[in-house]
């Protein structure tokens, strides 16, 4: 009998995170077009700052992988980058403004959590911690791409995560996590699972951070 892939065991976790995300007022506001543009603009600024660290963590992980996996990893998210650039241009978000953005508390905590996984538990836990940013967005995007938000900008956001390119990136990231899990024991699998669960938590909290335009003080 074929052994269950590690990421398949995480499906219940992502399903809960997806349901909570779809019910969150930030996502609801994007879907029905009522979210203020200023709130979405705040989200994009924070998300850009997050994705800068996310990219660096991909480089950290790639340096620990074999050549084939490293090449796959470094190619992920190229379509997402192009979609973000279009959204930034639409909202007149300059490179200067994006570079000047400092991480809000939740953003800071999420980044710190992922960096900690690599330092404390190694490459497999780091990969598992990176996965929700792909998997959750893909699930949310696929469910909402067909609803046609009244705001074309918000619809473009959903469409980018429902695209075949992003779905392929999600599946490739899952495959990397699965391959890293194969030689590990149950204790290491639990570390990977906890990294994944915590990242799902921070993904959900990221919506709330954006919705309330969170500040340090």
């Amino acid at each position: 009998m074929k052994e269950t892939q590690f990421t398949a065991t995480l499906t219940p976790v992502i399903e809960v995170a997806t349901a909570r995300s779809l019910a969150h007022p930030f996502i609801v506001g994007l879907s029905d077009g009522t979210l203020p543009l200023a709130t979405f603009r705040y989200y994009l600024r924070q998300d850009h700052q997050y994705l800068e660290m996310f990219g660096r963590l991909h480089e950290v992980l790639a340096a620990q992988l074999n050549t084939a996996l490293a090449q796959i990893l470094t190619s992920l998210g190229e379509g997402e980058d192009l979609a973000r650039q279009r959204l930034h241009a639409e909202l007149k978000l300059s490179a200067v403004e994006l570079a000047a953005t400092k991480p809000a508390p939740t953003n800071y905590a999420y980044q710190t959590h992922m960096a900690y996984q690599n330092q404390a538990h190694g490459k497999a836990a780091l990969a598992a911690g990176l996965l929700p940013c792909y998997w959750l967005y893909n699930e949310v995007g696929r469910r909402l791409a067909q609803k046609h938000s009244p705001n074309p900008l918000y619809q473009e956001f959903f469409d980018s995560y429902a695209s075949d390119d992003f779905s392929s990136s999600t599946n490739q990231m899952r495959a990397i996590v699965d391959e890293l899990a194969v030689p590990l024991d149950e204790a290491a699998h639990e570390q990977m699972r906890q990294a994944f669960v915590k990242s799902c938590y921070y993904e959900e909290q990221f919506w709330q951070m954006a919705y309330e335009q969170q500040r340090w003080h």
Side-chain angles (χ1 to χ4, degrees), residues 54-79 81 130 134 169 172-173 176:
F54 195 66
R56 290 193 290 273
L57 288 172
H58 276 59
E59 293 172 2
V60 168
L61 178 58
Q64 301 176 69
L65 301 179
N66 63 47
T67 302
L69 289 184
Q71 288 177 340
I72 293 171
L73 182 69
T74 54
S75 70
L76 300 183
E78 292 175 351
D81 291 341
L130 294 171
Y134 291 93
S169 291
Q172 288 175 309
M173 190 64 191
I176 290 171

Side-chain angles (χ1 to χ4, degrees), residues 9 68 73 78-79 103 113 122 138 144 171 180 186 198 210:
T9 70
L73 182 69
E78 292 175 351
H113 148 68
N138 189 224
L144 294 179
N171 291 333
L180 291 175
E186 188 56 39
K198 290 181 175 68

Side-chain angles (χ1 to χ4, degrees), residues 123-144:
K123 61 186 179 184
L126 172 57
L130 294 171
L131 180 57
C133 192
Y134 291 93
W135 198 353
L136 181 62
Y137 272 70
N138 189 224
E139 292 294 329
V140 170
R142 288 194 304 109
R143 284 163 172 75
L144 294 179

Side-chain angles (χ1 to χ4, degrees), residues 34-60:
T34 61
L35 189 79
L37 276 176
T39 303
F40 189 53
R41 201 174 191 279
Y42 172 95
Y43 164 83
L44 289 174
R45 290 176 60 203
Q46 286 293 322
D47 193 56
H48 175 82
Q49 208 281 337
Y50 163 85
L51 289 173
E52 289 287 300
M53 173 60 81
F54 195 66
R56 290 193 290 273
L57 288 172
H58 276 59
E59 293 172 2
V60 168

Side-chain angles (χ1 to χ4, degrees), residues 40 44 48 77-94 98 152-163 165-166:
F40 189 53
L44 289 174
H48 175 82
E78 292 175 351
E80 181 183 10
D81 291 341
L82 293 173
R84 278 295 192 275
Q85 289 169 17
R86 289 194 297 270
L87 291 173
H88 294 165
E90 286 284 344
L91 290 173
K92 296 181 172 54
L93 273 168
S94 69
L98 291 168
L153 203 64
Y154 298 165
Q155 186 62 38
E156 182 178 354
F157 176 77
F158 291 134
D159 289 345
S160 68
Y161 290 110
S163 70
D165 283 347
F166 193 77

